[in-house]
Amino acid sequence: MPVRFSWSHKRSQREQASARLLLNWLGGRLPRTRIVGIKDGKTDADLFDVRKPVDAPVEFILPRYRDHGAVSLVTYPTNAENLCRFVLENNLDMSFVKRFSCFADTFEAHHENLIKLAFPNAQLNSTYSSAELGSIAVRCPQEPHFHHIMADNLGVKIFDEEGMPCADGQVGKVVITDYFNRNSPFIRYDIGDLAAPGNCPCDTTRLPALQTILGKVRGALKGLDGKPIMFSHVNVVLRDIPGLRQYQVIQEALDKIRFRYVASQGFVEQDIHAAVTAELYDFIGFQPQIEFQKETIISRDPNGKFYESICKVLG
């Protein structure tokens, strides 16, 4: 359910403090380029609209480095994947990039692998955040499998289906209380995400941590019993299907899926259809009707985000 909110001055100050803490962990501020969704009328020298074709950001990144010494990139994980593939396919030298930061979308292992290949000298960083609550957790600089919770600003709890606190490593729903926003109080707010708590072994901070972040429940498909199945589990195999450049899975009804996709040149559509069908059947546990819809490009939402899976099944 969409919500409307505003931040108090104190809440904004706390968010700025979180940003400074993260920069301190990373070793300080670097000149940057941001490839993100841009609100109407907003202009900054380091800002580029993520909704433009994938080759356009490269034409922006290079002069930003040449003219302004910008050696840090900030974008969404889904865009990082597209950008990395373009860099690798065109054999571009991005060794000048010293830091690569991802936020907003769920950051997964394959994103990290691609970034290391395309931007070999970049220090990786990811944050778990939301528009309503700002920075929720940031990646540990020593133990990258963990994200430290901004516990000075937020109370973050992970609960199982019975409403009991999850043990370390146990996935449950994320419930958050904002300690400082008096304009729009969020108290025990179910953000619609799944994550697992964990005990980070680092000596960087005593802040509590998350060891798994799965992201939005709304991106989960549903089985015949109506229970959600996290899409990230099948996303791993779909992205490795030969010829499949981009895709989006939309569950229109419990037994009907629309599969939008962009194919590489020279690949047989029937082979892609067969591979996708097999993987989806295995993943979802039954055989829904699958409608294939070939596209030249699958656009991002107006907010700049890209959703690989959408479930329209209510209840």
Side-chain angles (χ1 to χ4, degrees):
M1 179 182 298
V3 296
R4 300 182 67 179
F5 65 93
S6 67
W7 279 9
S8 62
H9 179 65
K10 183 69 172 178
R11 184 64 185 84
S12 297
Q13 288 182 321
R14 298 300 303 183
E15 186 65 16
Q16 292 168 8
S18 294
R20 289 193 295 270
L21 174 64
L22 175 58
L23 284 173
N24 182 56
W25 286 358
L26 295 175
R29 187 179 296 275
L30 294 174
R32 67 183 182 179
T33 298
R34 292 180 293 162
I35 308 173
V36 296
I38 299 177
K39 295 181 180 179
D40 292 340
K42 185 174 183 180
T43 57
D44 282 307
D46 69 345
L47 203 58
F48 191 84
D49 192 342
V50 72
R51 290 167 292 188
K52 293 187 177 181
V54 68
D55 58 330
V58 175
E59 297 175 1
F60 185 76
I61 291 168
L62 295 177
R64 280 286 301 164
Y65 167 63
R66 183 185 64 242
D67 300 335
H68 304 281
V71 292
S72 174
L73 286 179
V74 181
T75 192
Y76 311 127
T78 50
N79 185 59
E81 180 173 351
N82 295 333
L83 183 60
C84 288
R85 293 191 187 281
F86 183 84
V87 167
L88 293 170
E89 289 169 2
N90 291 276
N91 197 29
L92 301 178
D93 181 9
M94 290 291 171
S95 59
F96 63 87
V97 176
K98 304 303 180 186
R99 183 180 298 159
F100 202 115
S101 300
C102 291
F103 75 108
D105 299 336
T106 302
F107 188 78
E108 300 182 37
H110 79 283
H111 296 133
E112 180 158 356
N113 294 336
L114 280 171
I115 293 170
K116 286 180 177 178
L117 288 172
F119 299 85
N121 295 328
Q123 175 190 31
L124 293 181
N125 171 57
S126 65
T127 61
Y128 171 41
S129 61
S130 76
E132 315 95 290
L133 299 159
S135 297
I136 299 170
V138 299
R139 175 170 162 145
C140 178
Q142 292 185 8
E143 300 288 342
H145 295 298
F146 292 85
H147 282 68
H148 287 289
I149 296 168
M150 297 291 96
D152 291 340
N153 300 336
L154 305 168
V156 180
K157 302 293 183 182
I158 313 297
F159 294 109
D160 63 20
E161 293 182 357
E162 283 70 44
M164 299 299 294
C166 289
D168 286 354
Q170 180 185 2
V171 173
K173 64 180 181 180
V174 181
V175 177
I176 301 179
T177 296
D178 191 323
Y179 297 146
F180 291 95
N181 190 3
R182 297 297 182 262
N183 286 12
S184 301
F186 288 97
I187 301 172
R188 294 180 65 85
Y189 173 55
D190 184 346
I191 196 171
D193 286 358
L194 295 177
N199 184 21
C200 181
C202 78
D203 56 9
T204 301
T205 175
R206 294 184 180 275
L207 291 171
L210 301 173
Q211 74 177 61
T212 304
I213 302 171
L214 293 179
K216 293 295 182 188
V217 177
R218 70 183 178 200
L221 306 184
K222 290 188 177 180
L224 280 177
D225 58 3
K227 292 184 178 181
I229 311 171
M230 291 305 296
F231 183 73
S232 56
H233 297 162
V234 72
N235 199 14
V236 175
V237 290
L238 286 179
R239 70 171 66 98
D240 290 333
I241 292 176
L244 196 59
R245 299 278 304 183
Q246 188 184 22
Y247 57 86
Q248 185 179 65
V249 179
I250 304 172
Q251 190 173 21
E252 302 281 5
L254 200 59
D255 61 350
K256 182 178 180 180
I257 287 176
R258 179 158 54 97
F259 190 87
R260 304 176 66 202
Y261 72 100
V262 178
S264 302
Q265 289 185 351
F267 282 85
V268 180
E269 293 180 21
Q270 287 77 6
D271 292 343
I272 294 176
H273 293 188
V276 169
T277 298
E279 295 298 347
L280 286 179
Y281 281 178
D282 180 64
F283 166 70
I284 206 166
F286 64 102
Q287 297 185 2
Q289 174 189 349
I290 302 176
E291 174 192 350
F292 287 91
Q293 185 174 328
K294 189 176 181 181
E295 311 276 7
T296 55
I297 189 171
I298 305 175
S299 300
R300 292 174 173 269
D301 275 21
N303 63 5
K305 291 188 178 183
F306 179 77
Y307 300 102
E308 291 175 319
S309 63
I310 299 171
C311 181
K312 295 185 177 181
V313 182
L314 300 177

